[in-house]
Amino acid sequence: ASESGSLYLWSAAETKVLRCADVGFPVSAVACSNKALTRSAGEDGEDARSHHIAVGGKNGEFAVFDETTLRPIFNTIVSNGAAVEDVKYSPDDRRVAVSTRDASLCIFLVRGKGGRGYVLQSKCEGHSAAVRHLDWSQDSSVLSSDGADYELLYWDARTGRQNLESQMDAEWATWTRVLGFPVMGVWAPGSDGTDVNACDRSPDNEFLVTADDHGGVKLFAYPAVVEDAAHREYRGHSSHVTCVRFSPDGERVITAGGRDRCVFQYRVWPVEAPEPRPPTPEKQWLPLDASGKNYGWRLP
């Protein structure tokens, strides 16, 4: 989705657009349901299961579209003039969370016959600045958010109230927050807290990828818990990179550029480990050598 107001469905393998539609407003965030939620007519005319695509707008719009037909299912306004920062479906697809730049965070119930009806369940209040990234726990009971106020907050999914219990042992379905213990090593020395725009953990929990203001896409081992963690950096974007995500199978990384208006696709290739170094010979206590000059600790 783009600020031009268009929604595109791409074939990653063929790198071509399959379908596109005009959503009617500049788009700032997009998310897809984890499983098919509705029945719709497929390309061959037969009924097919279809995912939902939720999009957020630069002026607070929120709408949901059918993946197969790209027809609108639901639309509303979640903020008066403030851009939507992030949209996330819960792992069980019963809820979808929407965060905005004016510190608003809304949770909608995905309900109704065939999942067609979206109902506002609760508004979460606690952040004092833009709510930038969202993640759900694996059991869909807890929602986590980080913000431009440098706070990492947790919310009860059923009530929308702030959860003050320790989440140290919680299992997260995704990790896209740029704050938190598992990602504290992605911040380079001298960072001001805004340099890293987005991050994503791979589906196998082995890697972490980040997008930054300097046009870099960095690959870390997950978790990245040491200061200025070791990484590989990849170039290509000529401007800041606004978003980065692994594909569901973990074989690709997709990045969205800012001013360069580009979408890049990277393949994730396994790297063979280097051969181990030969063992270093150990010095031994040896008797006087044939020259009659050297003895004691030396290499044999």
Side-chain angles (χ1 to χ4, degrees):
S2 67
E3 291 186 4
S4 66
S6 298
L7 177 64
Y8 299 91
L9 265 66
W10 291 79
S11 168
E14 300 177 2
T15 61
K16 70 177 184 180
V17 176
L18 301 178
R19 294 182 292 279
C20 65
D22 184 2
V23 302
F25 53 83
V27 179
S28 57
V30 64
C32 185
S33 62
N34 300 289
K35 59 179 181 291
L37 297 177
T38 56
R39 288 187 178 275
S40 60
E43 295 180 356
D44 55 2
E46 297 182 358
D47 285 348
R49 301 292 293 179
S50 180
H51 291 72
H52 285 184
I53 300 175
V55 297
K58 289 194 67 177
N59 298 305
E61 304 93 340
F62 174 62
V64 181
F65 296 83
D66 183 278
E67 173 209 7
T68 303
T69 63
L70 294 185
R71 293 178 179 175
I73 296 173
F74 171 80
N75 65 84
T76 187
I77 300 293
V78 294
S79 175
N80 293 322
V84 172
E85 288 281 334
D86 199 5
V87 181
K88 281 285 193 331
Y89 279 91
S90 61
D92 60 8
D93 282 327
R94 293 183 177 179
R95 295 176 174 87
V96 60
V98 185
S99 67
T100 64
R101 194 164 293 177
D102 63 356
S104 173
L105 174 55
C106 300
I107 299 177
F108 288 83
L109 286 174
V110 180
R111 55 181 296 182
K113 186 176 181 181
R116 285 186 173 275
Y118 282 71
V119 177
L120 178 63
Q121 173 199 284
S122 53
K123 289 188 176 182
C124 308
E125 298 180 356
H127 280 286
S128 58
V131 186
R132 299 183 62 195
H133 308 101
L134 304 172
D135 288 302
W136 289 90
S137 62
Q138 193 67 53
D139 61 2
S140 301
S141 65
V142 179
L143 175 67
S144 181
S145 59
D146 70 7
D149 52 8
Y150 303 104
E151 287 190 318
L152 184 62
L153 303 182
Y154 304 96
W155 312 91
D156 187 299
R158 293 176 297 174
T159 64
R161 295 178 181 175
Q162 191 171 341
N163 187 334
L164 301 179
E165 297 180 0
S166 172
Q167 302 297 324
M168 181 175 60
D169 298 323
E171 295 184 3
W172 299 98
T174 58
W175 193 290
T176 60
R177 291 157 290 164
V178 298
L179 303 178
F181 178 76
V183 298
M184 64 182 186
V186 305
W187 296 93
S191 298
D192 63 0
T194 64
D195 295 324
V196 180
N197 297 319
C199 73
D200 192 29
R201 183 188 66 192
S202 63
D204 59 5
N205 296 354
E206 294 291 330
F207 302 104
L208 181 75
V209 66
T210 66
D212 61 39
D213 277 344
H214 310 292
V217 178
K218 296 179 180 179
L219 183 67
F220 298 81
Y222 180 86
V225 296
V226 297
E227 185 177 357
D228 194 18
H231 61 273
R232 293 173 180 264
E233 184 172 2
Y234 304 91
R235 289 290 177 175
H237 286 283
S238 62
S239 179
H240 64 291
V241 188
T242 60
C243 193
V244 60
R245 291 291 184 267
F246 277 96
S247 61
D249 59 7
E251 295 185 356
R252 292 178 171 86
V253 169
I254 312 298
T255 61
R259 294 186 182 276
D260 62 8
R261 301 179 182 180
C262 291
V263 175
F264 280 23
Q265 180 178 207
Y266 299 84
R267 288 296 301 270
V268 180
W269 293 99
V271 177
E272 295 183 2
E275 295 183 1
R277 295 181 179 180
T280 303
E282 295 184 359
K283 292 183 178 181
Q284 301 178 11
W285 183 270
L286 299 175
L288 194 67
D289 63 8
S291 68
K293 298 180 181 179
N294 301 313
Y295 73 95
W297 291 102
R298 66 180 189 274
L299 293 175

